Amino acid sequence: MLRKSAFKKLRIIGLLVLAFLFFQHAGAQESKQMVRLAKIIVDSTQLKAYSKALNEQMNAAIKLEPGVLTYYAVAEKSAPNQITILEIYADTTAYQSHIKTPHFLKYKDTVKNMVTSLELVDVTLIGVAKKPD
Amino acid sequence: MLRKSAFKKLRIIGLLVLAFLFFQHAGAQESKQMVRLAKIIVDSTQLKAYSKALNEQMNAAIKLEPGVLTYYAVAEKSAPNQITILEIYADTTAYQSHIKTPHFLKYKDTVKNMVTSLELVDVTLIGVAKKPD
């Protein structure tokens, strides 16, 4: 009887340890993510060409790079040349590898005379909620 | 032979009309969306409580309201009390209904002494690319 109860306790402790390790791992995965807001001002006369280059870059990166997770690009209604991009990478290594890819370098070259201001703001994701795809 | 070829032409025209209507509808759906950046400054001493209230609100809205589609909330690394939320609603009707829900009203009441500045910026989604869920 004593040995049975000791075994039960051990099993519970084991489960608790496993649960702890699982959540720690999940937390570490998330905190490793690199999240950023890119605030971009574009020459108004080149807005269409900029949007085309941006979308090409985003689609290629998502398709080709496992560590590029999410892009949302928005333009202000009252100032459509003021653009904010939410960017999520798996980690900083994924980002460093991203900026050396042909599609990113092509984007940078294409937009170099379109972008008049670029501010990169490092952020932390404090909440996400969305409908399933 | 003549009738057969005329029938073929009609079928092609029919398919083109259907494709046109389909893309027009898809475009209308997307342009109806209401997208916004909420730029919020929170009293630094109440950051944890604010984040809790915000996440409760976001999760409830996504779960309960068909027209609330997406929330991403980020805090600046260099100023964690400066928060930006990307919000996507199916349309303005969905948003108007959202701000009357019990979970939204509870959130507004909970955070009324936490939020020191609130700026709502209407935006247009100019691109999204992300890994499947």
Side-chain angles (χ1 to χ4, degrees):
Chain A
M1 195 62 185
L2 199 68
R3 285 184 68 188
K4 206 172 174 185
S5 120
F7 180 71
K8 212 171 176 179
K9 269 187 201 155
L10 260 179
R11 206 171 52 179
I12 291 171
I13 291 169
L15 282 175
L16 286 175
V17 168
L18 275 180
F20 172 75
L21 289 174
F22 174 78
F23 285 113
Q24 204 183 38
H25 178 72
Q29 286 291 90
E30 202 146 288
S31 68
K32 268 174 62 192
Q33 280 187 357
M34 178 179 158
V35 188
R36 205 164 63 176
L37 293 179
K39 299 180 182 185
I40 295 168
I41 301 179
V42 175
D43 168 13
S44 295
T45 65
Q46 301 188 70
L47 216 45
K48 211 167 168 179
Y50 174 77
S51 179
K52 184 170 173 279
L54 174 67
N55 274 279
E56 273 175 19
Q57 192 298 113
M58 297 194 305
N59 291 330
I62 289 293
K63 192 178 163 196
L64 302 172
E65 297 180 71
V68 178
L69 307 181
T70 307
Y71 288 116
Y72 281 86
V74 299
E76 296 192 15
K77 282 209 169 176
S78 66
N81 69 325
Q82 301 206 14
I83 289 164
T84 302
I85 309 172
L86 171 68
E87 312 177 352
I88 308 181
Y89 305 93
D91 49 36
T92 51
T93 311
Y95 175 71
Q96 290 305 329
S97 134
H98 165 65
I99 56 176
K100 293 182 196 109
T101 58
H103 47 270
F104 183 77
L105 295 172
K106 186 187 165 196
Y107 161 78
K108 281 305 252 189
D109 187 57
T110 307
V111 307
K112 66 177 186 289
N113 296 319
M114 301 176 181
V115 170
T116 58
S117 163
L118 168 63
E119 187 193 354
L120 302 173
V121 183
D122 283 312
V123 296
T124 313
L125 207 55
I126 61 167
V128 185
K130 57 192 174 70
K131 294 280 192 275
D133 282 345
Chain B
M1 195 61 184
L2 198 69
R3 285 181 69 187
K4 207 172 170 185
S5 123
F7 180 70
K8 211 172 176 179
K9 268 186 199 157
L10 260 179
R11 206 171 53 179
I12 291 171
I13 291 168
L15 282 174
L16 285 175
V17 168
L18 276 179
F20 173 75
L21 289 174
F22 174 78
F23 286 112
Q24 203 183 40
H25 179 71
Q29 286 289 88
E30 202 145 289
S31 68
K32 269 174 64 192
Q33 281 188 355
M34 179 179 155
V35 188
R36 205 165 63 176
L37 292 180
K39 299 181 182 186
I40 296 168
I41 301 179
V42 176
D43 168 15
S44 294
T45 66
Q46 302 186 72
L47 217 44
K48 212 170 168 177
Y50 174 77
S51 179
K52 185 170 172 281
L54 174 67
N55 274 279
E56 273 174 19
Q57 193 299 113
M58 296 193 306
N59 290 330
I62 289 292
K63 192 177 162 194
L64 302 171
E65 298 178 71
V68 178
L69 306 182
T70 307
Y71 288 117
Y72 282 85
V74 298
E76 295 191 15
K77 283 210 166 175
S78 65
N81 68 326
Q82 302 206 14
I83 289 164
T84 302
I85 309 172
L86 171 68
E87 312 176 352
I88 308 180
Y89 305 94
D91 49 35
T92 51
T93 311
Y95 174 72
Q96 290 304 329
S97 134
H98 165 65
I99 55 176
K100 294 182 195 106
T101 57
H103 48 269
F104 183 77
L105 295 171
K106 186 187 165 198
Y107 161 77
K108 280 304 252 187
D109 187 57
T110 306
V111 307
K112 67 177 184 288
N113 297 319
M114 300 176 181
V115 170
T116 59
S117 163
L118 168 64
E119 187 194 353
L120 302 173
V121 183
D122 284 313
V123 295
T124 312
L125 207 55
I126 60 166
V128 185
K130 58 191 175 68
K131 294 279 192 276
D133 281 346

